[in-house]
């Protein structure tokens, strides 16, 4: 169903194709499938406030009771972006969403947790999952934002929501702010030939990233662990972690980060 522009006028002014589902399993799964079957334009959006089988990273679940959260997926045509720079897409999405949430929670402590969770006061309000389309021609970036979620609905202790923070989320404004920033960041990255330092994206992500300077524990997909201080983000978007007493840092491209102090 195409949503009326009057429902999300700001979003419709940014995106050429906005669809809302009353409910669905996963907006990411739906948009990956739709993009593989049809020639959907760049910045096509699919959203719902009732997502029933939300996907997290590494087969984890993203849990949101009906009406308590926004599930939003956007299709990005990234064919002109060098493959080696595509690791910046999830980081750009995390930065864009951090800025969009900050614009509505201006009194709160809103930070990006590397690579792309958005935290408010150290608790997760948004998670992001980027997935390639079946033909690898485009990327679908999905964001789950806890909006009206009441304290008793939070799926984990480490979660928060706009409602818990005492605010009502303007979803239309949030999506439009996010899409404008994300598109602008990726356009600049593409124009710089994939150089995130030259495009300014590296500096934006560093400035938004609350992980930097904190002691962290990294759990790698193979089960191994690394503890140290998050000392930087390199030019490929990897988190640099320095062990106590070590001269050199280790670059982390994939792993779960726990902030050991906030
Ligand atoms: C993520 O995974 O944070 C990515 C979440 C992406 C969800 C969006 S919604 C639109 C699109 N369609 C989809 O199907 N997915 C995307 P990860 O970093 O693996 O975090 C998952 C973990 O976060 C879970 O194991 C829980 O511990 C926690 N969690 C689950 N639901 C949560 C929620 N609503 N708020 C905060 N934390 C949550």
């Amino acid at each position: 169903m195409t949503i009326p522009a009057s429902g999300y006028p700001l979003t419709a002014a940014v995106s050429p194709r906005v669809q809302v589902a009353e409910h669905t399993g996963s907006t990411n799964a739906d948009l990956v499938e739709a993009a593989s079957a049809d020639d959907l334009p760049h910045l096509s959006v699919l959203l719902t406030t009732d997502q029933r089988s939300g996907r997290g990273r590494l087969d984890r679940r993203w849990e949101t009771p009906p009406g308590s959260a926004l599930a939003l997926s956007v299709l990005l045509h990234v064919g002109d972006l060098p493959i080696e720079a595509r690791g910046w897409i999830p980081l750009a999405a995390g930065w864009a969403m951090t800025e969009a949430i900050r614009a509505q929670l201006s009194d709160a402590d809103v930070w990006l947790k590397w690579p792309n969770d958005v935290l408010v006061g150290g608790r997760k309000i948004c998670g992001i999952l980027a997935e390639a389309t079946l033909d690898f021609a485009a990327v679908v970036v999905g964001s789950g934002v806890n909006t009206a979620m009441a304290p008793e609905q939070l799926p984990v202790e480490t979660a928060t929501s706009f409602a818990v923070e005492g605010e009502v989320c303007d979803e239309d404004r949030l999506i439009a702010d996010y899409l404008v920033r994300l598109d602008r960041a990726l356009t600049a990255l593409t124009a710089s030939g994939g150089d995130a330092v030259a495009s300014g994206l590296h500096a934006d992500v560093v400035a938004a990233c609350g992980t930097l300077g904190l002691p962290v524990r990294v759990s790698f997909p193979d089960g191994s662990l690394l503890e140290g201080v998050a000392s930087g983000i390199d030019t490929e978007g990897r988190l640099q972690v320095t062990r106590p007493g070590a001269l050199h840092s280790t670059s982390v491209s994939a792993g779960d980060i726990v902030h050991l102090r906030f």
Side-chain angles (χ1 to χ4, degrees):
M1 175 174 67
T2 303
I3 58 170
S6 60
Y8 289 79
L10 301 175
T11 303
V14 180
S15 165
R17 189 175 190 275
V18 181
Q19 281 193 294
V20 65
E22 245 165 65
H23 60 82
T24 189
S26 159
T27 56
N28 260 29
D30 293 349
L31 195 54
V32 165
E33 198 184 315
S36 306
D38 267 327
D39 207 5
L40 300 184
H42 178 65
L43 293 187
S44 290
V45 161
L46 174 65
L47 67 97
T48 186
T49 55
D50 185 1
Q51 178 175 256
R52 298 178 177 180
S53 310
R55 308 208 286 220
R57 295 179 299 147
L58 302 171
D59 288 333
R60 287 187 289 240
R61 288 173 54 80
W62 183 254
E63 292 173 69
T64 49
S68 70
L70 175 69
L72 164 78
S73 293
V74 56
L75 181 72
L76 301 169
H77 286 295
V78 292
D80 292 338
L81 186 63
I83 287 174
E84 58 277 14
R86 294 192 191 166
W88 278 100
I89 296 171
L91 287 155
W95 165 77
M97 189 57 88
T98 302
E99 293 289 314
I101 291 174
R102 267 186 187 161
Q104 294 191 40
L105 292 178
S106 49
D107 293 335
D109 225 4
V110 184
W111 292 99
L112 173 66
K113 178 184 171 206
W114 186 92
N116 54 17
D117 289 344
V118 184
L119 306 185
V120 178
R123 298 196 297 160
K124 185 160 163 175
I125 197 167
C126 169
I128 291 178
L129 176 67
E131 299 181 86
T133 54
L134 299 181
D135 59 1
F136 292 97
V139 172
V140 169
V141 178
S143 319
V145 184
N146 299 333
T147 52
M149 198 176 281
E152 62 276 12
Q153 293 180 307
L154 297 174
V156 286
E157 275 181 4
T158 49
T160 191
S161 69
F162 274 79
V164 170
E165 301 300 323
E167 295 290 340
V168 174
C169 178
D170 179 340
E171 292 182 3
D172 186 29
R173 188 176 145 217
L174 184 85
I175 300 168
D177 280 355
Y178 164 68
L179 292 179
V180 165
R181 286 178 170 84
L182 177 57
D183 189 40
R184 206 185 283 152
L186 294 179
T187 301
L189 185 63
T190 304
S192 69
D195 184 336
V197 174
S199 78
L201 180 58
H202 180 269
D204 284 339
V205 169
V206 166
C209 186
T211 306
L212 297 180
L214 293 183
V216 293
R217 181 185 304 124
V218 186
S219 317
F220 292 100
D222 69 358
S224 60
L225 296 173
L226 166 69
E227 281 194 11
V229 171
S231 49
I233 293 174
D234 72 12
T235 54
E236 290 172 38
R238 296 176 300 192
L239 186 70
Q240 293 166 296
V241 177
T242 309
R243 285 195 209 119
L247 288 179
H248 301 289
S249 60
T250 305
S251 291
V252 177
S253 55
D256 281 316
I257 306 293
V258 176
H259 290 170
L260 297 177
R261 169 169 61 71
F262 192 79

